[in-house]
Amino acid sequence: MIIQQVLYCRHVSTATATATVTHTAALARLGHALSDSTRAGVLLALREAPAYPSDLADALGVSRQVMSNQLACLRGCGLVEAVPDGRRTWYRLADSHLSPALDELLRVVLYVEPGCCAGESCTCA
């Protein structure tokens, strides 16, 4: 029992030591982005494919002004980037690691709350 506690404490100390203030701030930004259902919906939609703000607004059932504000927040968090396309701008995830990370977070949600997505129509798992 004491050996397990010592090993656990060493593991926790090592894990804590590798998490810098920068890591903590980056994780907090991701948490902030995911704390709003519209922003979470945008991130999940963009993991499938880049999109124009008007298409995202229509798909998520929000106004274009709300979508503009949420995309500005996600840009500020460093999670999405705007790509000019003539007179329009489309959005994509800022890094290729985000899509599999969001997929993995969905799996965690399904583990924590298995009833949130059930049946044939669920595409999360």
Side-chain angles (χ1 to χ4, degrees):
M1 177 74 166
I2 293 175
I3 293 173
Q4 287 176 331
Q5 288 175 339
V6 169
L7 291 175
Y8 174 76
C9 290
R10 283 187 186 162
H11 174 70
V12 170
S13 298
T14 303
T16 305
T18 61
T20 66
V21 172
T22 304
H23 293 122
T24 304
L27 196 56
R29 283 194 311 273
L30 178 61
H32 175 72
L34 293 172
S35 70
D36 179 87
S37 61
T38 300
R39 289 191 299 265
V42 168
L43 291 172
L44 292 174
L46 292 179
R47 86 186 203 283
E48 300 296 328
Y52 290 104
S54 58
D55 295 335
L56 289 167
D58 292 344
L60 296 172
V62 298
S63 70
R64 292 194 164 115
Q65 181 60 48
V66 166
M67 183 55 60
S68 177
N69 293 340
Q70 299 300 358
L71 287 168
C73 178
L74 291 170
R75 277 193 323 270
C77 290
L79 298 173
V80 301
E81 56 188 17
V83 180
D85 183 23
R87 297 178 67 192
R88 298 179 73 190
T89 300
W90 51 272
Y91 287 80
R92 66 181 173 203
L93 294 177
D95 187 89
S96 62
H97 293 95
L98 287 169
S99 184
L102 290 167
D103 290 341
E104 196 60 35
L105 281 173
L106 282 174
R107 285 187 206 55
V108 169
V109 168
L110 291 173
Y111 176 76
V112 173
E113 191 176 331
C116 75
C117 185
E120 299 284 327
S121 63
C122 180
T123 60
C124 299

